[in-house]
Amino acid sequence: MLYPRVALAGSHQGLYGFASGTSFATPEVAGAAALVWSANPSLDAAAVAQILKQTASGLGTWSPELGFGVIDVAAAVAHAGGGPTVLVSAVRARDRVHVAWSGGAAEYRVAAARDGGQAQVLLATTPRTDAWFRLAAGHTYSFTVSALDVDGAETAISAPLPVRVGQRR
């Protein structure tokens, strides 16, 4: 396959070919993952992937057109190096949202703020790492998950994850 060719800037010889696609994104994501891991070697592969997804331009939300979006290596490395971390992802299905989280804690607290309002606790304490929530359609909910120590004290909190709940049909 021939790629479009252009002259190298400042050079009298040589051409530069360019294209796009997963084959071109793979080495960039692999390099970003290596940098995230170097910022926090205690992370496992799933946590590194979650950090890359959550700090990409899609903010943890997947779309068929862009996947999780454009990676933001600086944000991912900063997030990884910040000590204990809780990572959150969500998948919506009409008026239900499946929220999943990780963080290595024994217990978690899950809260959500509706349309920028006051956060309400949805699960006060749970050892689980995922849950389904049925929420009012037509609103945006911002989920946060806190890691709790054995005494119930908060040790880390996730970045807010906004999810728009669709209209019922």
Side-chain angles (χ1 to χ4, degrees), residues 102-114:
S102 64
E107 298 278 333
Y108 297 92
R109 177 182 312 118
V110 181
R114 182 169 126 174

Side-chain angles (χ1 to χ4, degrees), residues 5-26:
R5 308 266 197 253
V6 295
L8 293 170
S11 175
H12 296 291
Q13 60 186 11
L15 298 174
Y16 176 76
F18 62 93
S20 65
T22 56
S23 296
F24 295 89
T26 300

Side-chain angles (χ1 to χ4, degrees), residues 6 14 19 29 42 50 73 91 114 137 141-142:
V6 295
V29 175
S42 68
Q50 193 63 25
V73 179
V91 177
R114 182 169 126 174
Y141 294 84
S142 184

